[in-house]
Amino acid sequence: MSTQAQSTTQELETRLAEISLDIERQKEVQEGLERNKKLVQRQLNALRDPVARLPLELSSEIFLQCLSQWHNPRPGAHSAPMLFLNICTAWTNIAVSLPALWDTIVIHLPCATGFEEGLDRWLRRAGGRSLHISLHGTIEPDVAACIWRYAASMKSLDIISFENEDVPVDGDIHHWQLLGGTMPQESLPRLQKLRIRGAYEDAICSWTPVLQLLQLSPNLVDLRLENMTFGDADDLDEDLVLPNLRQLKYTGYGLDGGLEGNTLCWLSAPSLESITVSPSIFEDTEPDAISSFLERSSPPLRELKMSRLSGPQDFTWLETCLTLSPIAGLNHFDVATPLPRVLDRFLTILEQPPSSALPALQTVILRRVHLDPDYFPAHYWNRLARALTSRRSQLRTVRVILSDEEWPLSQEIRGQFAGLLEDGMQVYIGAEGFGGKNLLLPQS
């Protein structure tokens, strides 16, 4: 290459380097302008945004009001509180600095890959507040492990299982893994409410993880096991005492050879005030499990609710249960779909003087009563009216919820209850709900 050619090449390379340097400088200038533009835009948005101009206390309260009692906070970009993060920087700053926005979450499973990272950020923003967590579906181990990192802050835990193609199947029985097969490594000192609900009748859950959760929850106040059928578990060395439990709901389905009949036999709840139970969970096992539980716990029971009583053992159990000493303070009795023999047992007790049976009873509710003579013969009205009359100074509310609101009441039946209504007792016979009409009153 000639000397002239070499000189020309060097000049071009130098020029190219200068142009590239100018381009980089222009990029830096442009990036600086973009940053300034965003800064000015944020300042302008702040001036235009009424929320950003408010004191932090007021804007925070507005955000909190978006989480009404009907709203279930979910980790979605189009619902609060995640929605606040997608509006502007000012809203983001307000939202992430407000722990009360993040102490409740409803999670529908299964989740997308990597969901646990976002879940961890959500729960971290709660800043140590008491957590309320609801899990719907088949719980994945990674999600459960993330939740257990915040076990010490958990105040309520709601688990609802749904049938899923990933649930192992054994014949016609569906087994589901509670909590994804994981358990917390520390106690749950703040946990006050635990609800575990099955979504289909033939789902079986091992009792062991439930038992472990109860053992880790010394301050549990409200326990609800709904539509549950439990498989076997290891026997306890000693009774499990839940000293602060005040509400217990236990409904489900019987399982031959299962643990249902013994579930309440090892549990003690000395502070229990309300129990809701379906005797179907004791089929083929021990009909006196509830009676034994109440005698052992000796709780200050105030409310007893039961679903349909149908088996012969239920009738004897009802009469035995309602005469136990822990029932002496009962003021609210509620039974659904009572069959004739159940009504016979109950009315026999109610007809006794208050001093000898249910002396504190104030409210009686009979739900889904069939007025068909085979279920509710006419003489039951006479017996019920007489029993209520003998307890008119004690009872305050009596509701007979009919299965068919179209059944009429005769003038004779209305007359039997007229005096009670005049005395101020709230007696209602009719359909359930706000639209129901009291058939004891004249219809307009």
Side-chain angles (χ1 to χ4, degrees), residues 110-143:
C111 299
T113 303
F115 169 78
E116 61 274 9
E117 296 178 4
L119 174 61
D120 186 73
R121 286 194 298 270
W122 180 302
L123 298 178
R124 243 188 296 124
R125 290 175 183 144
R129 286 178 59 89
S130 295
L131 298 175
H132 307 269
I133 298 176
S134 182
L135 303 170
H136 297 217
T138 302
I139 302 173
E140 299 154 348
D142 290 344
V143 173

Side-chain angles (χ1 to χ4, degrees), residues 25 27 29 55 71 82 88 97 135 168 176-177 186 221 231 274 295 302-303 323 327 352 358 366 384 431:
R25 288 171 179 165
K27 287 182 178 179
V29 172
H71 175 72
M82 293 294 291
C88 64
S97 63
L135 303 170
W176 58 285
Q177 283 263 337
E186 55 182 312
V221 173
S274 173
E295 288 185 314
R302 297 289 179 267
E303 182 177 72
T323 55
I327 301 293
Q352 298 178 31
L358 302 177
L366 307 176
L384 180 59

Side-chain angles (χ1 to χ4, degrees), residues 66-328:
C66 293
L67 303 180
S68 68
Q69 59 180 327
W70 298 282
H71 175 72
N72 295 320
R74 301 179 181 181
H78 302 292
S79 61
M82 293 294 291
L83 177 64
F84 301 141
L85 306 183
N86 302 320
I87 305 300
C88 64
T89 303
W91 284 38
T92 299
N93 291 337
I94 295 172
V96 297
S97 63
L98 191 59
L101 279 176
W102 309 96
D103 63 8
T104 301
I105 186 170
V106 177
I107 304 171
H108 288 267
L109 301 153
C111 299
T113 303
F115 169 78
E116 61 274 9
E117 296 178 4
L119 174 61
D120 186 73
R121 286 194 298 270
W122 180 302
L123 298 178
R124 243 188 296 124
R125 290 175 183 144
R129 286 178 59 89
S130 295
L131 298 175
H132 307 269
I133 298 176
S134 182
L135 303 170
H136 297 217
T138 302
I139 302 173
E140 299 154 348
D142 290 344
V143 173
C146 178
I147 290 174
W148 293 141
R149 288 199 290 272
Y150 299 87
S153 298
M154 196 177 302
K155 187 173 183 178
S156 69
L157 177 60
D158 190 356
I159 302 172
I160 303 176
S161 77
F162 287 95
E163 188 168 4
N164 186 293
E165 61 181 5
D166 297 327
V167 176
V169 177
D170 178 13
D172 294 329
I173 304 298
H174 299 266
H175 299 266
W176 58 285
Q177 283 263 337
L178 185 68
L179 308 171
T182 68
M183 288 301 299
Q185 300 302 309
E186 55 182 312
S187 66
L188 292 82
R190 296 193 200 177
L191 189 64
Q192 294 186 3
K193 182 175 181 179
L194 173 62
R195 183 176 78 152
I196 303 174
R197 179 159 64 92
Y200 49 100
E201 297 185 10
D202 55 355
I204 298 178
C205 173
S206 172
W207 180 251
T208 300
V210 180
L211 176 60
Q212 293 173 339
L213 273 181
L214 296 180
Q215 291 173 319
L216 292 170
S217 308
N219 297 311
L220 200 64
V221 173
D222 188 342
L223 173 60
R224 305 185 186 190
L225 306 174
E226 304 175 34
N227 298 346
M228 296 303 302
T229 299
F230 293 113
D232 291 330
D234 297 333
D235 294 334
L236 287 175
D237 294 333
E238 57 184 16
D239 288 346
L240 173 62
V241 180
L242 298 177
N244 299 300
L245 191 68
R246 287 174 172 78
Q247 293 185 337
L248 172 62
K249 184 174 183 180
Y250 186 28
T251 62
Y253 308 91
L255 176 65
D256 291 347
L259 187 68
E260 296 76 35
N262 297 319
T263 302
L264 294 180
C265 292
W266 45 256
L267 178 64
S268 294
S271 300
L272 192 67
E273 298 175 355
S274 173
I275 182 172
T276 301
V277 66
S278 61
S280 59
I281 60 177
F282 303 107
E283 291 177 0
D284 303 316
T285 52
E286 299 180 17
D288 63 343
I290 304 178
S291 301
S292 300
F293 162 71
L294 292 175
E295 288 185 314
R296 182 174 60 259
S297 299
S298 296
L301 199 66
R302 297 289 179 267
E303 182 177 72
L304 174 61
K305 295 182 179 181
M306 295 179 296
S307 61
R308 181 186 180 100
L309 300 176
S310 57
Q313 60 190 19
D314 297 338
F315 312 138
T316 303
W317 170 83
L318 176 65
E319 190 167 36
T320 301
C321 183
L322 292 181
T323 55
L324 294 174
S325 57
I327 301 293

Side-chain angles (χ1 to χ4, degrees), residues 22-38:
D22 287 341
I23 291 175
E24 293 300 323
R25 288 171 179 165
Q26 291 299 324
K27 287 182 178 179
E28 292 178 0
V29 172
Q30 183 177 0
E31 290 174 356
L33 291 173
E34 291 290 345
R35 287 194 297 270
N36 290 335
K37 178 183 177 181
K38 292 179 180 179

Side-chain angles (χ1 to χ4, degrees), residues 8-26:
T8 301
T9 300
Q10 292 175 351
E11 290 176 356
L12 291 174
E13 289 176 345
T14 301
R15 179 59 179 157
L16 182 60
E18 291 174 349
I19 293 174
S20 297
L21 183 59
D22 287 341
I23 291 175
E24 293 300 323
R25 288 171 179 165
Q26 291 299 324

